[in-house]
Amino acid sequence: MRATARAQPNIALVKYWGKSDVSRNLPAVGSISITLDELYTSMSVEFDGALPGDVLTVNGEDDEAMLARAGRCLDAVCGENRQRARIDSQCNFPIAAGLASSASAFAALVVAADSAGGREHTIAELASLAGGASGSAARSLYGGYVELENAGDDIVVTSLCSATDWPLKVVVAVTETGPKRVGSTEGMEISRKTSPFYGRWIEQQDADLAAARDAIAARDFAKLGEVAEHSCLKMHSIMWGSRPPLIYWNSVTLECMHAIRELRSRGVEVFFTIDAGPQLKAICTPGSESSVTDALSATTGVRDIMISGLGDGARLVGDD
Ligand code: PMV
Protein backbone atom coordinates (compact mmCIF):
# COMPACT_ATOMS: atom_id res chain seq x y z
CA MET A 1 0.00 0.00 0.00
CA ARG A 2 3.06 2.24 0.01
CA ALA A 3 5.48 3.05 -2.80
CA THR A 4 8.15 5.60 -3.56
CA ALA A 5 9.07 6.85 -7.01
CA ARG A 6 11.63 9.31 -8.26
CA ALA A 7 11.45 11.56 -11.30
CA GLN A 8 13.56 14.34 -12.70
CA PRO A 9 12.31 17.56 -14.26
CA ASN A 10 12.54 18.03 -17.99
CA ILE A 11 13.32 21.14 -19.98
CA ALA A 12 11.51 21.78 -23.25
CA LEU A 13 13.67 22.58 -26.27
CA VAL A 14 10.61 23.01 -28.46
CA LYS A 15 8.17 24.61 -26.03
CA TYR A 16 4.51 24.12 -25.44
CA TRP A 17 2.45 27.18 -24.50
CA GLY A 18 -1.34 27.00 -24.76
CA LYS A 19 -4.00 24.39 -24.16
CA SER A 20 -6.60 23.04 -26.54
CA ASP A 21 -8.79 21.90 -23.64
CA VAL A 22 -8.21 23.33 -20.18
CA SER A 23 -10.60 20.96 -18.41
CA ARG A 24 -8.65 17.94 -19.70
CA ASN A 25 -5.34 19.81 -19.64
CA LEU A 26 -4.58 18.98 -23.28
CA PRO A 27 -1.78 20.96 -24.90
CA ALA A 28 -2.50 22.93 -28.08
CA VAL A 29 0.84 21.86 -29.58
CA GLY A 30 3.42 19.08 -29.32
CA SER A 31 6.80 19.64 -27.65
CA ILE A 32 10.29 18.14 -27.37
CA SER A 33 12.26 18.07 -24.12
CA ILE A 34 15.31 16.68 -22.36
CA THR A 35 15.02 14.91 -19.01
CA LEU A 36 17.58 15.96 -16.41
CA ASP A 37 19.56 13.79 -14.05
CA GLU A 38 20.75 15.50 -10.87
CA LEU A 39 17.60 17.45 -9.92
CA TYR A 40 14.77 15.26 -8.70
CA THR A 41 11.53 14.82 -6.77
CA SER A 42 11.10 11.72 -4.66
CA MET A 43 7.44 10.96 -3.97
CA SER A 44 6.00 8.46 -1.49
CA VAL A 45 2.35 7.46 -1.56
CA GLU A 46 0.70 5.40 1.15
CA PHE A 47 -2.98 4.51 0.99
CA ASP A 48 -4.55 4.20 4.43
CA GLY A 49 -8.23 3.42 5.02
CA ALA A 50 -8.04 5.04 8.47
CA LEU A 51 -7.16 8.51 7.14
CA PRO A 52 -10.07 11.00 7.08
CA GLY A 53 -8.60 12.83 4.08
CA ASP A 54 -5.50 13.05 1.91
CA VAL A 55 -2.40 14.55 3.49
CA LEU A 56 0.46 16.11 1.52
CA THR A 57 3.83 17.19 2.85
CA VAL A 58 6.45 18.82 0.65
CA ASN A 59 9.97 18.80 2.09
CA GLY A 60 8.46 17.99 5.48
CA GLU A 61 5.90 20.85 5.53
CA ASP A 62 2.13 20.49 5.02
CA ASP A 63 1.17 21.79 1.58
CA GLU A 64 -2.52 22.69 1.48
CA ALA A 65 -2.17 24.58 -1.82
CA MET A 66 -1.15 21.54 -3.84
CA LEU A 67 -3.29 19.01 -1.99
CA ALA A 68 -6.41 19.14 -4.18
CA ARG A 69 -4.37 18.85 -7.40
CA ALA A 70 -2.41 15.89 -6.02
CA GLY A 71 -5.66 14.25 -4.86
CA ARG A 72 -7.22 14.59 -8.33
CA CYS A 73 -4.12 13.01 -9.82
CA LEU A 74 -4.45 10.03 -7.43
CA ASP A 75 -8.14 9.72 -8.40
CA ALA A 76 -7.12 9.61 -12.06
CA VAL A 77 -4.60 6.82 -11.42
CA CYS A 78 -6.45 4.73 -8.81
CA GLY A 79 -10.11 5.71 -9.19
CA GLU A 80 -12.24 8.01 -7.09
CA ASN A 81 -13.13 5.20 -4.66
CA ARG A 82 -9.52 4.81 -3.58
CA GLN A 83 -8.50 5.02 0.07
CA ARG A 84 -7.19 8.37 1.32
CA ALA A 85 -3.44 8.80 0.96
CA ARG A 86 -0.44 10.10 2.81
CA ILE A 87 1.75 11.75 0.17
CA ASP A 88 5.26 12.87 0.97
CA SER A 89 7.30 14.81 -1.58
CA GLN A 90 11.00 15.59 -1.29
CA CYS A 91 12.48 17.95 -3.87
CA ASN A 92 16.16 18.89 -4.09
CA PHE A 93 15.68 22.15 -6.07
CA PRO A 94 13.50 25.32 -5.84
CA ILE A 95 9.77 24.69 -6.28
CA ALA A 96 7.42 26.63 -8.64
CA ALA A 97 10.21 28.89 -9.84
CA GLY A 98 10.35 27.90 -13.49
CA LEU A 99 12.50 24.84 -12.87
CA ALA A 100 9.78 22.33 -13.80
CA SER A 101 9.21 21.11 -10.25
CA SER A 102 5.60 20.20 -11.11
CA ALA A 103 6.83 18.00 -13.96
CA SER A 104 9.03 15.87 -11.71
CA ALA A 105 6.44 15.91 -8.91
CA PHE A 106 3.49 14.63 -10.96
CA ALA A 107 5.60 12.15 -12.94
CA ALA A 108 6.83 10.64 -9.67
CA LEU A 109 3.32 10.82 -8.17
CA VAL A 110 1.63 8.75 -10.89
CA VAL A 111 4.32 6.05 -10.72
CA ALA A 112 4.18 5.84 -6.92
CA ALA A 113 0.35 5.89 -6.86
CA ASP A 114 0.10 3.20 -9.52
CA SER A 115 2.32 0.88 -7.52
CA ALA A 116 0.87 1.69 -4.06
CA GLY A 117 -2.64 1.25 -5.45
CA GLY A 118 -1.82 -2.09 -7.07
CA ARG A 119 -2.62 -0.79 -10.55
CA GLU A 120 -0.63 -1.79 -13.59
CA HIS A 121 -0.84 1.06 -16.04
CA THR A 122 1.67 1.14 -18.88
CA ILE A 123 4.20 3.98 -19.00
CA ALA A 124 2.28 5.49 -21.89
CA GLU A 125 -0.92 5.48 -19.81
CA LEU A 126 0.90 6.96 -16.82
CA ALA A 127 2.35 9.68 -19.07
CA SER A 128 -1.15 10.59 -20.21
CA LEU A 129 -2.40 10.64 -16.59
CA ALA A 130 0.54 12.79 -15.44
CA GLY A 131 -0.16 15.15 -18.34
CA GLY A 132 -3.68 15.60 -17.00
CA ALA A 133 -2.17 17.12 -13.86
CA SER A 134 0.71 19.07 -15.43
CA GLY A 135 1.27 19.23 -19.18
CA SER A 136 5.04 18.94 -19.01
CA ALA A 137 4.93 16.11 -16.41
CA ALA A 138 3.99 13.64 -19.15
CA ARG A 139 7.48 14.08 -20.63
CA SER A 140 9.27 13.18 -17.35
CA LEU A 141 7.97 9.61 -17.57
CA TYR A 142 10.65 9.09 -20.20
CA GLY A 143 14.39 9.69 -20.21
CA GLY A 144 16.75 11.45 -22.59
CA TYR A 145 15.17 13.30 -25.51
CA VAL A 146 11.39 13.09 -25.40
CA GLU A 147 8.64 14.09 -27.80
CA LEU A 148 5.09 14.77 -26.72
CA GLU A 149 2.70 14.59 -29.67
CA ASN A 150 -0.60 16.31 -29.54
CA ALA A 151 -2.87 13.55 -30.82
CA GLY A 152 -6.12 15.52 -30.72
CA ASP A 153 -8.01 14.11 -27.75
CA ASP A 154 -4.96 12.59 -26.04
CA ILE A 155 -1.20 12.87 -25.96
CA VAL A 156 1.39 10.36 -27.13
CA VAL A 157 4.83 10.54 -25.53
CA THR A 158 7.93 8.78 -26.90
CA SER A 159 11.66 8.78 -26.29
CA LEU A 160 13.57 9.97 -29.37
CA CYS A 161 17.05 9.16 -28.09
CA SER A 162 18.44 8.02 -24.74
CA ALA A 163 20.48 10.19 -22.41
CA THR A 164 23.56 8.04 -22.96
CA ASP A 165 23.25 8.22 -26.74
CA TRP A 166 23.75 12.00 -26.70
CA PRO A 167 24.86 13.04 -23.20
CA LEU A 168 24.57 16.84 -23.31
CA LYS A 169 24.95 18.92 -20.14
CA VAL A 170 22.63 21.53 -18.66
CA VAL A 171 23.79 24.48 -16.54
CA VAL A 172 20.98 26.32 -14.76
CA ALA A 173 21.52 29.91 -13.66
CA VAL A 174 19.15 30.69 -10.78
CA THR A 175 18.38 34.41 -10.79
CA GLU A 176 15.46 34.45 -8.31
CA THR A 177 14.12 31.83 -5.94
CA GLY A 178 10.52 32.93 -5.23
CA PRO A 179 7.47 31.28 -6.78
CA LYS A 180 6.50 32.40 -10.29
CA ARG A 181 4.25 35.44 -10.72
CA VAL A 182 1.57 33.86 -12.91
CA GLY A 183 1.04 30.09 -13.05
CA SER A 184 1.44 28.53 -16.48
CA THR A 185 -2.20 27.42 -16.95
CA GLU A 186 -3.45 30.94 -16.23
CA GLY A 187 -0.70 32.47 -18.38
CA MET A 188 -1.44 30.15 -21.30
CA GLU A 189 -5.11 31.10 -21.26
CA ILE A 190 -4.26 34.81 -21.16
CA SER A 191 -1.99 34.30 -24.19
CA ARG A 192 -4.53 32.21 -26.10
CA LYS A 193 -7.20 34.83 -25.64
CA THR A 194 -5.16 38.00 -26.13
CA SER A 195 -1.78 37.54 -27.83
CA PRO A 196 -1.74 38.53 -31.52
CA PHE A 197 1.11 36.04 -32.05
CA TYR A 198 -0.65 32.99 -30.64
CA GLY A 199 -2.20 31.77 -33.91
CA ARG A 200 1.12 31.95 -35.80
CA TRP A 201 2.81 30.06 -32.98
CA ILE A 202 0.39 27.16 -33.35
CA GLU A 203 0.82 27.16 -37.14
CA GLN A 204 4.62 27.05 -37.00
CA GLN A 205 5.00 24.43 -34.29
CA ASP A 206 5.11 21.38 -36.58
CA ALA A 207 8.03 22.85 -38.54
CA ASP A 208 9.98 23.49 -35.31
CA LEU A 209 9.24 19.97 -34.05
CA ALA A 210 10.44 18.45 -37.33
CA ALA A 211 13.64 20.53 -37.28
CA ALA A 212 14.41 19.51 -33.68
CA ARG A 213 13.65 15.84 -34.39
CA ASP A 214 16.06 15.91 -37.35
CA ALA A 215 18.75 17.68 -35.32
CA ILE A 216 18.47 15.09 -32.53
CA ALA A 217 18.60 12.18 -35.01
CA ALA A 218 21.73 13.70 -36.62
CA ARG A 219 23.22 14.78 -33.21
CA ASP A 220 23.52 18.22 -34.81
CA PHE A 221 24.12 20.52 -31.83
CA ALA A 222 24.13 23.80 -33.76
CA LYS A 223 20.85 23.00 -35.50
CA LEU A 224 19.20 21.92 -32.24
CA GLY A 225 20.38 25.12 -30.54
CA GLU A 226 19.03 27.29 -33.34
CA VAL A 227 15.53 25.79 -33.21
CA ALA A 228 15.49 25.68 -29.39
CA GLU A 229 16.41 29.36 -28.95
CA HIS A 230 13.94 30.31 -31.67
CA SER A 231 11.15 28.33 -29.94
CA CYS A 232 12.01 29.87 -26.56
CA LEU A 233 12.08 33.45 -27.82
CA LYS A 234 8.90 32.94 -29.82
CA MET A 235 7.12 31.65 -26.70
CA HIS A 236 8.29 34.67 -24.71
CA SER A 237 7.17 36.97 -27.55
CA ILE A 238 3.66 35.53 -27.20
CA MET A 239 3.86 36.14 -23.47
CA TRP A 240 5.09 39.74 -23.88
CA GLY A 241 2.37 40.35 -26.48
CA SER A 242 -0.39 39.15 -24.13
CA ARG A 243 -2.74 41.47 -22.25
CA PRO A 244 -1.80 41.83 -19.46
CA PRO A 245 1.79 41.07 -20.55
CA LEU A 246 3.52 38.06 -19.01
CA ILE A 247 7.11 39.01 -18.30
CA TYR A 248 8.86 36.15 -16.56
CA TRP A 249 12.42 37.44 -17.05
CA ASN A 250 14.35 39.82 -14.86
CA SER A 251 17.38 41.86 -15.90
CA VAL A 252 19.74 39.07 -14.84
CA THR A 253 17.95 36.60 -17.14
CA LEU A 254 18.75 38.92 -20.04
CA GLU A 255 22.37 39.34 -18.93
CA CYS A 256 22.72 35.54 -18.83
CA MET A 257 21.32 35.33 -22.35
CA HIS A 258 23.96 37.79 -23.58
CA ALA A 259 26.67 35.83 -21.75
CA ILE A 260 25.64 32.63 -23.57
CA ARG A 261 25.53 34.37 -26.97
CA GLU A 262 28.98 35.84 -26.30
CA LEU A 263 30.38 32.43 -25.34
CA ARG A 264 28.96 30.92 -28.51
CA SER A 265 30.54 33.64 -30.62
CA ARG A 266 33.87 32.47 -29.15
CA GLY A 267 33.24 28.90 -30.32
CA VAL A 268 31.75 27.29 -27.19
CA GLU A 269 28.95 24.83 -28.07
CA VAL A 270 26.11 26.21 -25.97
CA PHE A 271 22.57 27.52 -26.34
CA PHE A 272 19.96 28.77 -23.88
CA THR A 273 16.32 28.25 -23.06
CA ILE A 274 14.00 29.92 -20.53
CA ASP A 275 10.61 28.73 -19.26
CA ALA A 276 7.84 30.46 -17.33
CA GLY A 277 10.26 31.85 -14.80
CA PRO A 278 13.44 33.92 -14.58
CA GLN A 279 16.00 31.10 -14.61
CA LEU A 280 18.17 30.56 -17.66
CA LYS A 281 19.05 27.03 -18.70
CA ALA A 282 22.18 26.65 -20.81
CA ILE A 283 22.56 23.43 -22.78
CA CYS A 284 26.09 22.54 -23.84
CA THR A 285 28.27 19.72 -25.07
CA PRO A 286 30.19 17.64 -22.49
CA GLY A 287 33.44 19.42 -21.68
CA SER A 288 31.94 22.89 -22.20
CA GLU A 289 30.14 23.01 -18.84
CA SER A 290 33.05 24.56 -16.94
CA SER A 291 33.32 27.57 -19.29
CA VAL A 292 29.52 27.94 -19.26
CA THR A 293 29.49 27.76 -15.45
CA ASP A 294 32.31 30.33 -15.22
CA ALA A 295 30.52 32.76 -17.54
CA LEU A 296 27.17 32.45 -15.75
CA SER A 297 28.77 32.65 -12.27
CA ALA A 298 30.52 35.86 -13.37
CA THR A 299 27.18 37.42 -14.40
CA THR A 300 26.14 39.90 -11.71
CA GLY A 301 22.94 38.83 -9.97
CA VAL A 302 23.19 35.08 -10.58
CA ARG A 303 22.39 33.52 -7.20
CA ASP A 304 23.15 29.91 -7.77
CA ILE A 305 24.29 27.52 -10.47
CA MET A 306 23.10 23.94 -10.89
CA ILE A 307 24.75 21.52 -13.30
CA SER A 308 23.04 18.40 -14.56
CA GLY A 309 23.49 15.70 -17.11
CA LEU A 310 20.59 14.00 -18.85
CA GLY A 311 18.86 11.09 -17.16
CA ASP A 312 16.17 8.45 -17.17
CA GLY A 313 12.42 8.65 -16.83
CA ALA A 314 10.34 8.30 -13.67
CA ARG A 315 10.79 5.00 -11.83
CA LEU A 316 10.00 3.20 -8.61
CA VAL A 317 12.71 3.34 -5.96
CA GLY A 318 10.92 1.58 -3.15
CA ASP A 319 7.83 -0.54 -2.74
CA ASP A 320 6.71 -2.05 0.54
O1 PMV B 1 3.74 21.89 -17.36
P1 PMV B 1 2.94 23.13 -17.47
O2 PMV B 1 1.56 22.86 -17.95
O3 PMV B 1 3.00 23.93 -16.22
O4 PMV B 1 3.59 24.08 -18.62
C1 PMV B 1 4.95 24.27 -18.82
C2 PMV B 1 5.20 25.22 -19.93
C3 PMV B 1 6.65 25.58 -20.23
O5 PMV B 1 7.52 25.08 -19.24
C4 PMV B 1 6.82 27.10 -20.23
C5 PMV B 1 7.05 25.06 -21.60
C6 PMV B 1 7.23 23.57 -21.69
O6 PMV B 1 6.96 23.02 -22.79
O7 PMV B 1 7.69 22.95 -20.71
Side-chain angles (χ1 to χ4, degrees), residues 10-19 25 30-33 69 98 100 102-103 131 133-139 180 183-185 188 235-236 239 248 274-277 281:
N10 67 79
I11 292 175
L13 302 183
V14 179
K15 305 291 187 191
Y16 114 82
W17 190 252
K19 308 214 194 248
N25 207 36
S31 51
I32 290 179
S33 61
R69 200 166 158 203
S102 65
S134 160
S136 55
R139 300 184 307 231
K180 65 176 98 165
S184 37
T185 300
M188 287 180 199
M235 179 181 78
H236 285 276
M239 294 164 167
Y248 287 105
I274 305 158
D275 291 293
K281 292 116 185 187

Side-chain angles (χ1 to χ4, degrees), residues 56 62-70:
L56 170 66
D62 283 339
D63 190 333
E64 288 291 326
M66 285 295 285
L67 181 60
R69 200 166 158 203

Side-chain angles (χ1 to χ4, degrees), residues 77-102:
V77 176
C78 297
E80 289 180 12
N81 294 328
R82 65 176 173 84
Q83 292 181 349
R84 299 303 104 194
R86 200 172 287 113
I87 312 162
D88 178 48
S89 172
Q90 299 285 336
C91 187
N92 74 344
F93 60 99
I95 291 173
L99 286 173
S101 56
S102 65

Side-chain angles (χ1 to χ4, degrees), residues 18-307:
K19 308 214 194 248
S20 62
D21 182 339
V22 176
S23 63
R24 296 175 60 208
N25 207 36
L26 289 173
V29 289
S31 51
I32 290 179
S33 61
I34 43 179
T35 301
L36 302 186
D37 195 4
E38 275 77 5
L39 316 185
Y40 65 84
T41 302
S42 176
M43 189 72 77
S44 297
V45 173
E46 180 175 23
F47 290 108
D48 181 345
L51 280 175
D54 295 328
V55 187
L56 170 66
T57 52
V58 176
N59 295 336
E61 307 269 323
D62 283 339
D63 190 333
E64 288 291 326
M66 285 295 285
L67 181 60
R69 200 166 158 203
R72 283 196 299 276
C73 182
L74 294 188
D75 291 349
V77 176
C78 297
E80 289 180 12
N81 294 328
R82 65 176 173 84
Q83 292 181 349
R84 299 303 104 194
R86 200 172 287 113
I87 312 162
D88 178 48
S89 172
Q90 299 285 336
C91 187
N92 74 344
F93 60 99
I95 291 173
L99 286 173
S101 56
S102 65
S104 52
F106 285 104
L109 184 62
V110 293
V111 173
D114 188 65
S115 173
R119 306 291 164 130
E120 288 180 357
H121 289 101
T122 62
I123 297 191
E125 287 165 346
L126 289 176
S128 179
L129 292 168
S134 160
S136 55
R139 300 184 307 231
S140 279
L141 266 294
Y142 294 82
Y145 298 73
V146 178
E147 177 161 10
L148 185 155
E149 287 170 74
N150 171 23
D153 64 350
D154 203 355
I155 53 169
V156 177
V157 190
T158 46
S159 180
L160 297 172
C161 165
S162 75
T164 44
D165 282 344
W166 199 16
L168 296 179
K169 296 284 180 185
V170 179
V171 182
V172 181
V174 178
T175 68
E176 229 174 276
T177 50
K180 65 176 98 165
R181 295 172 186 95
V182 181
S184 37
T185 300
E186 185 188 349
M188 287 180 199
E189 280 300 278
I190 293 173
S191 295
R192 183 178 67 78
K193 289 177 188 154
T194 66
S195 179
F197 310 130
Y198 186 80
R200 288 290 282 148
W201 158 258
I202 304 279
E203 279 167 32
Q204 291 187 354
Q205 186 76 349
D206 283 348
D208 288 352
L209 289 167
R213 219 180 284 130
D214 289 351
I216 291 165
R219 315 283 191 267
D220 185 335
F221 185 84
K223 190 172 167 191
L224 185 61
E226 198 189 317
V227 66
E229 287 190 357
H230 179 60
S231 176
C232 164
L233 293 174
K234 256 195 310 193
M235 179 181 78
H236 285 276
S237 304
I238 300 165
M239 294 164 167
W240 284 42
S242 301
R243 286 186 171 178
L246 302 162
I247 302 177
Y248 287 105
W249 304 351
N250 57 35
S251 56
V252 186
T253 318
L254 194 57
E255 286 303 323
C256 289
M257 197 188 299
H258 286 306
I260 295 302
R261 287 166 61 84
E262 159 68 19
L263 267 185
R264 191 165 57 230
S265 72
R266 290 197 272 117
V268 178
E269 288 191 302
V270 61
F271 63 84
F272 65 81
T273 192
I274 305 158
D275 291 293
Q279 331 304 1
L280 178 133
K281 292 116 185 187
I283 293 94
C284 63
T285 46
S288 307
E289 64 270 32
S290 57
S291 37
V292 173
T293 304
D294 289 348
L296 291 174
S297 306
T299 303
T300 308
V302 170
R303 295 180 179 211
D304 197 9
I305 297 275
M306 293 184 270
I307 305 173

